[in-house]
Amino acid sequence: GYPYKNIINGIIYKEDKKINLPEVLFKEFNIPTYLRNDVKCSALCEKNIGSLKKYDNCIFITLGTGIGGAYFYKNELVVPNKFQGFEIGHMVIETDGRQCKCGRKGCFEEYASMRIFRKEIAQLFNLEKIDSYKMFQILESQEKQEEVDKIIEQYTDYLCIGLSNI
């Protein structure tokens, strides 16, 4: 499994050790370094030089292995005092639903992440894993189209539920 249990304010907690990564990098390279969640970094990029540049208040959402998000209010990234914040993938959309790695049941990302979509397509075609290229080949092939359409419809239904909650 993933060896890092938690990352808070640049401190990586690994087993019984605390590693202050920005401090380690500063000592090594004498350059100030900041550690931030990948979704927050992508959102900041979009906000500063991309498609969100002209909006004062906006939400940035990623669909990938999980579902991530960032929220800007009055042109500032909202950062709570505790935890990373705006973990929309762990918003419950299905009461007593699928078990999530966060410990809760029915989380948004257990129904509408790309990981889940790929997993369901792979199961339909009796594949252990499926990469993006193979998934697109399957979707274009029209093979098992009725079952594929059902997976797509269920996925988009859950995606719409989560997005409407946001």
Side-chain angles (χ1 to χ4, degrees), residues 38-48 52 60 70 72 77:
D38 60 339
V39 173
K40 308 305 185 270
C41 290
S42 297
L44 284 166
C45 184
E46 285 296 329
K47 182 69 178 111
N48 290 318
L52 300 178
F60 178 84
F72 293 90
L77 177 65

Side-chain angles (χ1 to χ4, degrees), residues 3-97:
Y4 304 107
K5 294 180 181 175
N6 210 345
I7 300 173
I8 300 171
N9 297 327
I11 309 293
I12 299 172
Y13 295 87
K14 181 180 179 186
E15 297 163 5
D16 60 345
K17 296 179 186 175
K18 282 173 52 172
I19 303 165
N20 186 326
L21 187 58
E23 186 178 283
V24 169
L25 292 170
F26 183 78
K27 284 180 182 176
E28 184 68 27
F29 300 106
N30 198 29
I31 297 171
T33 305
Y34 304 93
L35 185 66
R36 185 168 253 167
N37 172 282
D38 60 339
V39 173
K40 308 305 185 270
C41 290
S42 297
L44 284 166
C45 184
E46 285 296 329
K47 182 69 178 111
N48 290 318
I49 61 173
S51 61
L52 300 178
K53 191 174 182 178
K54 62 183 178 179
Y55 301 103
D56 293 338
N57 304 312
C58 53
I59 296 172
F60 178 84
I61 299 170
T62 61
L63 298 174
T65 304
I67 299 177
Y71 172 60
F72 293 90
Y73 178 71
K74 295 184 179 179
N75 261 341
E76 295 292 325
L77 177 65
V78 175
V79 181
N81 292 331
K82 191 174 181 182
F83 306 116
Q84 290 284 334
F86 213 64
E87 293 296 332
I88 61 174
H90 297 291
M91 167 180 56
V92 174
I93 65 166
E94 185 72 51
T95 304
D96 294 322

Side-chain angles (χ1 to χ4, degrees), residues 113-152:
S113 66
M114 289 309 299
R115 172 181 51 88
I116 293 300
F117 183 71
R118 280 188 198 176
K119 178 181 171 185
E120 290 176 355
I121 294 292
Q123 286 175 346
L124 177 63
F125 288 89
N126 295 316
L127 301 169
E128 192 171 316
K129 284 177 31 176
I130 187 171
D131 62 21
S132 296
Y133 182 74
K134 180 65 176 170
M135 186 177 69
F136 286 117
Q137 282 183 321
I138 287 170
L139 294 175
E140 288 179 345
S141 76
Q142 305 287 316
E143 187 179 345
K144 298 186 181 183
Q145 192 62 47
E146 191 172 312
E147 295 98 326
V148 168
D149 286 347
K150 186 176 178 183
I151 291 170
I152 292 170

